[in-house]
Structures are given as C-alpha cells and as structure tokens.
Amino acid sequence: MAMGAKAKELKAAGKKVYDFALGEPDFDTPDHIREAGIAAIKAGHTHYTAAPGIPELKKAVVDQCRERHGLEYDPTQVIISNGAKHALHNIFTATLNPGDEVIIPAPYWVSYAELVRIAGGVPVIVQTEQETDFKLLPAQLKGAITPKTKILLICSPSNPTGSMYSGDELGALADIVIENDLLAIADEIYEQLVYGDHKFTCFATVRPGLQERTVIVNGVSKTYAMTGWRIGWTISSPELAKAMSKLQSQETSNASSISQYAAVAALTGSQDCVAHMREQFAKRREFVQKRIAEIPGLSCPEMAGAFYAFINIKEHLGRSYNGKQVDDDSTWCLELLEQQNVATVMGSAFGAPGYARLSFAAAMDDIKAGFERIEAFVKSGA
C-alpha cells in the first residue's frame, strides 16, 4: 500500500514511474476473447448462472486438464470462482476447522497466510533458501507437520520467486503428503508461463492416488491477460467440490456470466496468443537475469516460470543512499521509488526480508531504463 501510494504521488506530479510492482501481464486481453465477451452480452448472457459455473466453461477446464496433464475429472468437480484468490478462500473455508494448520513455504504470495487466518486456520510458514531455489525440502516438510496439520500449499511456478519444482521434487513431497494423510493445494496459475528447457509438472500427477487428495487452483488471469475479468477455478474431489459449491452459492453466487463465456473462448480458441506472450516474457526474463548478474551485490534464483525476479539485496542494506539510511528491504524499495522512480515490492511482504520482487511484465524499453536506474541507485549507496 505504501508503494502504491508513493507511486501515485509521483505520477500525479508528472513524473515517469517505472512500475515493476504489478503482478499482471502488461498485454491487453486477446481480441478473440474480448469479442467473446461482447458476443455474450449481445446474446443476453447477462443473468445468473449456476453458482459453480456454466457447463461450457467447466467442460473446457476438464478438457484442458486432460489434454495437458492426462487427468480425468467430471465437470461437477470444477468450481468456477471470482479469480484464484476466491478459489483459495473457498478451499480454506470449506476444509479448515479452528486451529487447523496449513503449511506454506516462504517466500509466498501475500494473500495465502491471511486467507488461512480468515478461515480460522493457522498458517505455518516454513522458510526456504535461495541456495535451493526457494523450494521446500522433504525434511523441512516433515519437520513442520504436527497433529494439527491439514494442508500443504504449493505454488509452482512460484510467485514471487519464479522457481519451479521438478517432477521428482514434487514426488518427494507427495510421498509425505500421502503418508501423513494431508490435503494438498497446488496453485498452478502460472503453469503455461514456463521458459527454456524447464518442463511444468502438475502436482496431482506425480503419485498414484494423489489426484483424490489434491485441489488444483488455476484461472485465466495470467495466461490469457485477463486479470480484470476475475475468473479462476478449483478442481477437487466430488465431496469438496460439492461443499465449495454450497459455500459459493451463499457468499457470491456465480462468477460474472460475461467473463465465463469469455473464458470459454480463452480455453477453447487459438492458443497462439499464449505462445506470443510467453515468447515476449522469455526475452524479458533473459535480459533481467543478465542485468541482475551485472550489478554487484545483486543475485536471484533462476526464473523457471511466472514473470518475477526475486532479487537478493542484502549486501546493499545498512547503507546510506544520498543521505537516507536504509537498513531493511522495505526502506530500500521505498527509497528506490523515491530517488529513481522505480517501483518494486519488498521481500518482507512475501515472508522473505532482504529481497525485492521485480515483475518483468512490462515493456522492454521500460525494463532497460528501469535497470539503469536500479544500478545507479545501488552505486549511490555508501
């Protein structure tokens, strides 16, 4: 909130702000998807739908999951929600009793812990390390499990780090999930934004019997540049899907009817738009990784997926920047914005002090100019 307020203040003053704080694609929603939304309005699809979503979209979700991962689901196991954040709320509210624990590897997306608390659960944050690409190790998972543990939450590819688990790494965690009779939540919203030789693995596929105890969370926001349309979903066991459907019918009813029809076009139409956006993200990723390596004292793990660089700035704390003392990541990011008009997000917001998250979902020219300013800011520290 502090970053957003300061960025708005600078923009209002007529200054150019290099905004790398946003967690959304900088592309417009592809034309054929927008046209589908317009067509839905003209066709009169502006009324209530069934609370868990229209049949066409639920079928499209099931079909895509089968095609990409070889998993079979019935459309009744899909709940269409108002974005992936709403999907997570549905899961936690439908499954957690007061005091139930949810294991969350840090760094983690800012809303995870709060959504658990809202549902009466207890987030158990397990700190991971840059040396292991911020991935939860089996020994760490075992050490975090208590009699109150109910859920393991995994995000791969990760927001905020861009790291992604291999199939073998997921399998090792899955063995522990099964052994301890846990539910797993697999946030796979970035699954199609994967780069280089990296291959995405759906968590539910890595062990026999894991599908029944895994809830897949996904949506159209990141892959199809549809953040404002607010469409996400869960794929789960029939019993949990039924419970979440009842919950959603009381809280929000259906997701936007118009957005649902647009999402059908996204999933069933040409995927050339996805390939194009991924290609552009890949070029930016390569540039960002190169520039971080060129600036002394900065580092980050390899970004296998998503569109974030999680930059280690620890060497640059405890310094003065043009007379401003900077001892923590929050102050560092605020001073970077104040002095160089570059907006990032402090790592402490993601449970990882000493880091800054930079989104490369921005125009290449802005990224290039932004890194010139980041380098100048780093060099000004004394």
Tab-separated table of all heavy atoms in Angstrom, residues 98-127:
chain	number	residue	atom	x	y	z
A	98	PRO	N	-11.252	-24.458	13.260
A	98	PRO	CA	-10.382	-23.570	14.046
A	98	PRO	C	-9.146	-24.306	14.564
A	98	PRO	O	-9.241	-25.385	15.143
A	98	PRO	CB	-11.289	-23.122	15.200
A	98	PRO	CG	-12.668	-23.175	14.616
A	98	PRO	CD	-12.658	-24.373	13.701
A	99	GLY	N	-7.983	-23.712	14.307
A	99	GLY	CA	-6.739	-24.298	14.781
A	99	GLY	C	-6.064	-25.239	13.805
A	99	GLY	O	-4.901	-25.631	14.011
A	100	ASP	N	-6.739	-25.639	12.733
A	100	ASP	CA	-6.098	-26.488	11.716
A	100	ASP	C	-4.934	-25.737	11.080
A	100	ASP	O	-5.018	-24.534	10.811
A	100	ASP	CB	-7.100	-26.878	10.626
A	100	ASP	CG	-8.060	-27.954	11.068
A	100	ASP	OD1	-7.804	-28.591	12.110
A	100	ASP	OD2	-9.075	-28.169	10.375
A	101	GLU	N	-3.857	-26.457	10.810
A	101	GLU	CA	-2.642	-25.831	10.297
A	101	GLU	C	-2.467	-26.070	8.801
A	101	GLU	O	-2.741	-27.161	8.290
A	101	GLU	CB	-1.422	-26.369	11.053
A	101	GLU	CG	-1.425	-25.977	12.528
A	101	GLU	CD	-0.266	-26.566	13.311
A	101	GLU	OE1	0.465	-27.420	12.753
A	101	GLU	OE2	-0.090	-26.162	14.480
A	102	VAL	N	-1.978	-25.028	8.122
A	102	VAL	CA	-1.667	-25.086	6.698
A	102	VAL	C	-0.194	-24.745	6.523
A	102	VAL	O	0.244	-23.660	6.915
A	102	VAL	CB	-2.534	-24.100	5.889
A	102	VAL	CG1	-2.166	-24.168	4.412
A	102	VAL	CG2	-4.012	-24.376	6.104
A	103	ILE	N	0.572	-25.668	5.966
A	103	ILE	CA	1.998	-25.444	5.744
A	103	ILE	C	2.188	-24.656	4.455
A	103	ILE	O	1.717	-25.058	3.387
A	103	ILE	CB	2.761	-26.776	5.680
A	103	ILE	CG1	2.682	-27.490	7.045
A	103	ILE	CG2	4.219	-26.554	5.278
A	103	ILE	CD1	3.290	-28.871	7.042
A	104	ILE	N	2.891	-23.519	4.580
A	104	ILE	CA	3.113	-22.612	3.453
A	104	ILE	C	4.609	-22.322	3.352
A	104	ILE	O	5.180	-21.706	4.250
A	104	ILE	CB	2.345	-21.290	3.630
A	104	ILE	CG1	0.844	-21.547	3.823
A	104	ILE	CG2	2.597	-20.361	2.455
A	104	ILE	CD1	0.051	-20.297	4.190
A	105	PRO	N	5.267	-22.770	2.286
A	105	PRO	CA	6.688	-22.419	2.117
A	105	PRO	C	6.833	-20.925	1.837
A	105	PRO	O	6.056	-20.341	1.075
A	105	PRO	CB	7.126	-23.244	0.903
A	105	PRO	CG	6.056	-24.277	0.711
A	105	PRO	CD	4.789	-23.661	1.212
A	106	ALA	N	7.824	-20.313	2.473
A	106	ALA	CA	8.145	-18.908	2.206
A	106	ALA	C	9.414	-18.843	1.365
A	106	ALA	O	10.312	-19.670	1.542
A	106	ALA	CB	8.335	-18.153	3.513
A	107	PRO	N	9.482	-17.880	0.443
A	107	PRO	CA	8.560	-16.781	0.172
A	107	PRO	C	7.228	-17.278	-0.406
A	107	PRO	O	7.189	-18.275	-1.118
A	107	PRO	CB	9.303	-15.936	-0.860
A	107	PRO	CG	10.742	-16.358	-0.765
A	107	PRO	CD	10.700	-17.804	-0.406
A	108	TYR	N	6.161	-16.544	-0.075
A	108	TYR	CA	4.827	-16.946	-0.507
A	108	TYR	C	4.029	-15.719	-0.942
A	108	TYR	O	4.291	-14.597	-0.522
A	108	TYR	CB	4.088	-17.662	0.620
A	108	TYR	CG	3.969	-16.840	1.898
A	108	TYR	CD1	2.894	-15.975	2.105
A	108	TYR	CD2	4.940	-16.921	2.898
A	108	TYR	CE1	2.794	-15.212	3.255
A	108	TYR	CE2	4.847	-16.161	4.054
A	108	TYR	CZ	3.775	-15.316	4.233
A	108	TYR	OH	3.686	-14.550	5.370
A	109	TRP	N	3.044	-15.973	-1.799
A	109	TRP	CA	2.154	-14.902	-2.249
A	109	TRP	C	1.438	-14.302	-1.041
A	109	TRP	O	0.988	-15.016	-0.142
A	109	TRP	CB	1.151	-15.480	-3.249
A	109	TRP	CG	0.183	-14.485	-3.795
A	109	TRP	CD1	0.446	-13.271	-4.331
A	109	TRP	CD2	-1.238	-14.653	-3.862
A	109	TRP	NE1	-0.714	-12.657	-4.739
A	109	TRP	CE2	-1.760	-13.493	-4.462
A	109	TRP	CE3	-2.104	-15.689	-3.490
A	109	TRP	CZ2	-3.124	-13.319	-4.684
A	109	TRP	CZ3	-3.456	-15.514	-3.710
A	109	TRP	CH2	-3.955	-14.340	-4.305
A	110	VAL	N	1.349	-12.986	-1.022
A	110	VAL	CA	0.965	-12.255	0.178
A	110	VAL	C	-0.380	-12.672	0.767
A	110	VAL	O	-0.596	-12.564	1.982
A	110	VAL	CB	0.954	-10.733	-0.090
A	110	VAL	CG1	2.354	-10.237	-0.384
A	110	VAL	CG2	0.018	-10.384	-1.240
A	111	SER	N	-1.310	-13.162	-0.050
A	111	SER	CA	-2.657	-13.447	0.456
A	111	SER	C	-2.802	-14.819	1.109
A	111	SER	O	-3.777	-15.056	1.816
A	111	SER	CB	-3.686	-13.332	-0.685
A	111	SER	OG	-3.805	-12.000	-1.122
A	112	TYR	N	-1.857	-15.733	0.871
A	112	TYR	CA	-2.021	-17.091	1.382
A	112	TYR	C	-2.287	-17.124	2.881
A	112	TYR	O	-3.270	-17.710	3.362
A	112	TYR	CB	-0.773	-17.937	1.092
A	112	TYR	CG	-0.586	-18.365	-0.339
A	112	TYR	CD1	0.697	-18.634	-0.816
A	112	TYR	CD2	-1.643	-18.524	-1.212
A	112	TYR	CE1	0.906	-19.043	-2.132
A	112	TYR	CE2	-1.446	-18.925	-2.524
A	112	TYR	CZ	-0.171	-19.184	-2.975
A	112	TYR	OH	0.036	-19.582	-4.270
A	113	ALA	N	-1.380	-16.538	3.651
A	113	ALA	CA	-1.484	-16.627	5.110
A	113	ALA	C	-2.752	-15.952	5.620
A	113	ALA	O	-3.412	-16.462	6.541
A	113	ALA	CB	-0.247	-16.013	5.762
A	114	GLU	N	-3.103	-14.811	5.029
A	114	GLU	CA	-4.286	-14.090	5.506
A	114	GLU	C	-5.574	-14.856	5.199
A	114	GLU	O	-6.522	-14.860	5.991
A	114	GLU	CB	-4.330	-12.696	4.888
A	114	GLU	CG	-3.132	-11.833	5.247
A	114	GLU	CD	-2.836	-11.826	6.737
A	114	GLU	OE1	-3.784	-11.717	7.547
A	114	GLU	OE2	-1.655	-11.950	7.105
A	115	LEU	N	-5.627	-15.500	4.039
A	115	LEU	CA	-6.811	-16.297	3.708
A	115	LEU	C	-6.971	-17.469	4.660
A	115	LEU	O	-8.097	-17.835	5.030
A	115	LEU	CB	-6.710	-16.795	2.264
A	115	LEU	CG	-6.890	-15.734	1.174
A	115	LEU	CD1	-6.503	-16.296	-0.186
A	115	LEU	CD2	-8.325	-15.223	1.149
A	116	VAL	N	-5.865	-18.067	5.080
A	116	VAL	CA	-5.931	-19.144	6.075
A	116	VAL	C	-6.475	-18.606	7.395
A	116	VAL	O	-7.356	-19.221	8.016
A	116	VAL	CB	-4.533	-19.774	6.275
A	116	VAL	CG1	-4.536	-20.731	7.471
A	116	VAL	CG2	-4.092	-20.509	5.022
A	117	ARG	N	-5.972	-17.455	7.820
A	117	ARG	CA	-6.428	-16.873	9.089
A	117	ARG	C	-7.905	-16.505	9.041
A	117	ARG	O	-8.641	-16.698	10.021
A	117	ARG	CB	-5.588	-15.640	9.435
A	117	ARG	CG	-4.136	-15.957	9.759
A	117	ARG	CD	-3.415	-14.721	10.273
A	117	ARG	NE	-2.016	-15.020	10.565
A	117	ARG	CZ	-0.995	-14.701	9.775
A	117	ARG	NH1	-1.223	-14.062	8.629
A	117	ARG	NH2	0.236	-15.018	10.109
A	118	ILE	N	-8.341	-15.960	7.926
A	118	ILE	CA	-9.758	-15.590	7.791
A	118	ILE	C	-10.648	-16.804	8.000
A	118	ILE	O	-11.740	-16.708	8.581
A	118	ILE	CB	-10.011	-14.962	6.403
A	118	ILE	CG1	-9.389	-13.562	6.326
A	118	ILE	CG2	-11.512	-14.881	6.096
A	118	ILE	CD1	-9.376	-12.970	4.938
A	119	ALA	N	-10.186	-17.973	7.548
A	119	ALA	CA	-10.973	-19.211	7.666
A	119	ALA	C	-10.816	-19.875	9.026
A	119	ALA	O	-11.381	-20.952	9.245
A	119	ALA	CB	-10.564	-20.181	6.563
A	120	GLY	N	-10.058	-19.264	9.937
A	120	GLY	CA	-9.885	-19.827	11.270
A	120	GLY	C	-8.696	-20.753	11.391
A	120	GLY	O	-8.476	-21.343	12.457
A	121	GLY	N	-7.921	-20.907	10.320
A	121	GLY	CA	-6.760	-21.782	10.348
A	121	GLY	C	-5.512	-21.069	10.820
A	121	GLY	O	-5.509	-19.861	11.093
A	122	VAL	N	-4.437	-21.832	10.924
A	122	VAL	CA	-3.148	-21.308	11.374
A	122	VAL	C	-2.117	-21.534	10.273
A	122	VAL	O	-1.791	-22.683	9.950
A	122	VAL	CB	-2.681	-22.013	12.660
A	122	VAL	CG1	-1.304	-21.493	13.085
A	122	VAL	CG2	-3.700	-21.828	13.778
A	123	PRO	N	-1.597	-20.467	9.660
A	123	PRO	CA	-0.542	-20.648	8.662
A	123	PRO	C	0.773	-21.002	9.343
A	123	PRO	O	1.210	-20.321	10.268
A	123	PRO	CB	-0.463	-19.281	7.983
A	123	PRO	CG	-0.989	-18.312	8.993
A	123	PRO	CD	-1.984	-19.055	9.828
A	124	VAL	N	1.393	-22.067	8.882
A	124	VAL	CA	2.700	-22.478	9.388
A	124	VAL	C	3.710	-22.176	8.290
A	124	VAL	O	3.762	-22.866	7.265
A	124	VAL	CB	2.715	-23.976	9.752
A	124	VAL	CG1	4.117	-24.407	10.188
A	124	VAL	CG2	1.697	-24.259	10.852
A	125	ILE	N	4.477	-21.128	8.470
A	125	ILE	CA	5.392	-20.650	7.445
A	125	ILE	C	6.734	-21.357	7.592
A	125	ILE	O	7.346	-21.335	8.663
A	125	ILE	CB	5.583	-19.122	7.550
A	125	ILE	CG1	4.228	-18.402	7.580
A	125	ILE	CG2	6.460	-18.632	6.410
A	125	ILE	CD1	3.346	-18.670	6.387
A	126	VAL	N	7.179	-21.988	6.528
A	126	VAL	CA	8.462	-22.690	6.508
A	126	VAL	C	9.400	-21.934	5.571
A	126	VAL	O	9.134	-21.842	4.368
A	126	VAL	CB	8.301	-24.150	6.046
A	126	VAL	CG1	9.663	-24.841	6.040
A	126	VAL	CG2	7.316	-24.892	6.938
A	127	GLN	N	10.475	-21.400	6.138
A	127	GLN	CA	11.391	-20.585	5.349
A	127	GLN	C	12.271	-21.453	4.468
A	127	GLN	O	12.917	-22.389	4.943
A	127	GLN	CB	12.277	-19.740	6.265
A	127	GLN	CG	13.045	-18.655	5.539
A	127	GLN	CD	12.121	-17.589	4.950
A	127	GLN	OE1	11.260	-17.054	5.639
A	127	GLN	NE2	12.299	-17.290	3.675
